[in-house]
Amino acid sequence: MRQAMRIHAIIVAAGAGFRAGGGVPKQYRAVAGQPLLRHAVERLLGHPAITGVSVVINPECRALYDAAVAGLALPEPITGGATRQESVLAGLEALAADLPDIVLVHDAARAFVPDAVIDALVAAFDDDVDGACPALPQIDSLRRGEGGRYSDSVDRDSLWRVQTPQAFRTPAILAAHRAAASGATDEVAIALAAGLRVAITPGDERAFKVTEPADFAKAEAMTTYSSRAASGFDVHKFGPGTHVWLCGVKVPHDHGLIGHSDADAGLHALTDALLGTIAAGDIGDHFPPSDDRWRGAASDQFLAHAAHLVRERGGRIDHVDVTLICERPKVGPHRDAMRARIAEILGLGIDRVSVKATTTEKLGFTGRQEGIAAQAMASVRLPEQDA
Ligand code: MG
């Protein structure tokens, strides 16, 4: 029976919660490189049992919403109401023409729900219940108190810390919502008021609600990162001139290097390596030689752009390493200036930047001093969006 169930998730993201800081409603604030809402949507969209996801938003935040979910397979967002209850009802009414069997109602602020929480919700419908809701047991002792003095204790064994998503047979919760008085805090309250039976299923600490500024740090700390390493390679040919640019440093030489930009093979190889870590194409895709804007351009901006793209994905640059391949000019005297310049462009400590040099024993085009080659490696850590 379960295979046949159509399970739809409604994510409520219509709130204007600025309490968490960051200058935008918290569901649009970034954690590990992407907005909280996108984490929430990706979790639910990625669960194999869920057949569709819709999001209820405040239309004033439409531009933030569009940016947050760009590229994800979502229907038009639903316009929310003045309260959470009204927003959920709007989400349910939007399904009314073609009701799924089960609907999950979820808060965008609980962005990191593990799959097991959803598995348990779905499994609960094997029993004869109208709904299911994840919860965690109350671990701390509970005690009443007034006027600065404790009074009697409270039996914690019967108390639960309720989370979302909350799952219901869709016709039952839609009818309950339509009939509900205002002021309900969640769907369990509405379901119980309507006499529905709601199962308690296992919650998870990772499904905590991001509310306060410190919660963003907690969410960030929960993020797991995976390592990526990529290489880059570049060659430029010698021509007339009095200096070359290598790794962002002007090095006096009896030739120059020919290229559309400043022909800094070291920075070009490193730019390609960084782009490689996020599979973002190569330097020619981002700065086409056909574009006159890059004629004679200083190559530090290419490298800075690649670093920006890595950081935009929530990435951290761990280490970069460049090898310059030439007979002349001698790199050794400039090596530390090159490391310092790359460290400055990338915003890294100099201990994370390596520059090396080698010759090719007078063999090949570098040996004949026809040009300079450079190869580079970059290693970064990127957040696991679906860990
Ligand atoms: Mg180049």
Side-chain angles (χ1 to χ4, degrees), residues 198-329:
V198 184
I200 301 169
T201 59
D204 193 298
E205 293 290 357
R206 287 169 289 182
F208 77 103
K209 188 171 189 170
V210 175
T211 309
E212 305 289 338
D215 293 337
F216 278 88
K218 180 177 168 185
E220 198 73 55
M222 269 175 23
T223 306
T224 54
Y225 286 81
S226 66
S227 296
R228 305 266 189 100
S231 69
F233 179 75
D234 195 35
V235 169
H236 281 275
K237 184 179 170 181
F238 281 125
T242 57
H243 64 272
V244 295
W245 283 94
L246 285 175
C247 293
V249 172
K250 188 176 179 179
V251 177
H253 191 48
D254 52 15
H255 284 84
L257 286 170
I258 300 171
H260 187 69
S261 64
D262 65 6
D264 187 332
L267 291 191
H268 293 182
L270 185 51
T271 299
D272 266 359
L274 270 180
L275 291 172
T277 63
I278 52 170
D282 60 34
I283 192 169
D285 296 328
H286 295 270
F287 304 98
S290 56
D291 189 333
D292 265 352
R293 268 184 302 168
W294 315 123
R295 185 179 299 284
S299 296
D300 55 351
Q301 61 192 309
F302 305 154
L303 183 60
H305 180 70
H308 168 74
L309 292 178
V310 169
R311 294 199 168 107
E312 208 173 47
R313 303 270 279 266
R316 301 172 186 189
I317 301 168
D318 278 333
H319 185 255
V320 296
D321 177 56
V322 180
T323 302
L324 298 170
I325 305 165
C326 56
E327 302 290 332
R328 293 177 59 242

Side-chain angles (χ1 to χ4, degrees), residues 39-359:
H39 286 286
V41 170
E42 286 187 347
R43 289 286 164 127
L44 297 189
L45 267 183
H47 192 283
I50 293 176
T51 48
V53 173
S54 50
V55 184
V56 185
I57 67 166
N58 178 339
E60 286 176 19
C61 296
R62 181 61 194 258
L64 286 169
Y65 170 80
D66 287 341
V69 302
L72 299 179
L74 294 175
E76 266 296 288
I78 297 151
T79 298
T83 64
R84 184 184 181 284
Q85 187 176 344
E86 288 172 27
S87 292
V88 174
L89 181 56
L92 291 168
E93 293 288 3
L95 301 175
D98 182 23
L99 283 185
D101 302 295
I102 305 289
V103 65
L104 271 54
V105 179
H106 187 45
D107 290 332
R110 294 188 189 272
F112 305 99
V113 177
D115 276 3
V117 170
I118 296 167
D119 294 342
L121 282 174
V122 174
F125 288 92
D126 287 351
D127 294 330
D128 189 19
V129 295
D130 305 298
C133 170
L136 290 166
Q138 180 63 42
I139 294 163
D140 296 329
S141 294
L142 292 176
R143 193 169 278 280
R144 292 185 210 281
E146 277 182 281
R149 297 283 188 277
Y150 284 119
S151 54
D152 50 332
S153 64
V154 177
D155 174 19
R156 69 181 173 206
D157 291 343
S158 63
L159 293 177
W160 295 90
R161 295 153 54 207
V162 169
Q163 299 185 318
T164 74
Q166 302 182 355
F168 299 91
R169 297 191 193 279
T170 316
I173 195 67
L174 177 58
H177 244 282
R178 283 173 174 167
S182 61
T185 52
D186 66 0
E187 280 46 67
V188 170
I190 287 170
L192 295 179
L196 302 181
R197 299 151 304 168
V198 184
I200 301 169
T201 59
D204 193 298
E205 293 290 357
R206 287 169 289 182
F208 77 103
K209 188 171 189 170
V210 175
T211 309
E212 305 289 338
D215 293 337
F216 278 88
K218 180 177 168 185
E220 198 73 55
M222 269 175 23
T223 306
T224 54
Y225 286 81
S226 66
S227 296
R228 305 266 189 100
S231 69
F233 179 75
D234 195 35
V235 169
H236 281 275
K237 184 179 170 181
F238 281 125
T242 57
H243 64 272
V244 295
W245 283 94
L246 285 175
C247 293
V249 172
K250 188 176 179 179
V251 177
H253 191 48
D254 52 15
H255 284 84
L257 286 170
I258 300 171
H260 187 69
S261 64
D262 65 6
D264 187 332
L267 291 191
H268 293 182
L270 185 51
T271 299
D272 266 359
L274 270 180
L275 291 172
T277 63
I278 52 170
D282 60 34
I283 192 169
D285 296 328
H286 295 270
F287 304 98
S290 56
D291 189 333
D292 265 352
R293 268 184 302 168
W294 315 123
R295 185 179 299 284
S299 296
D300 55 351
Q301 61 192 309
F302 305 154
L303 183 60
H305 180 70
H308 168 74
L309 292 178
V310 169
R311 294 199 168 107
E312 208 173 47
R313 303 270 279 266
R316 301 172 186 189
I317 301 168
D318 278 333
H319 185 255
V320 296
D321 177 56
V322 180
T323 302
L324 298 170
I325 305 165
C326 56
E327 302 290 332
R328 293 177 59 242
K330 288 293 169 213
V331 171
H334 306 283
R335 183 203 308 262
D336 283 340
M338 292 173 176
R339 293 175 64 210
R341 181 67 189 122
I342 291 171
E344 184 183 22
I345 297 166
L346 295 178
L348 292 180
I350 197 165
D351 58 324
R352 293 171 183 269
V353 178
S354 161
V355 172
K356 315 196 295 303
T358 187
T359 71

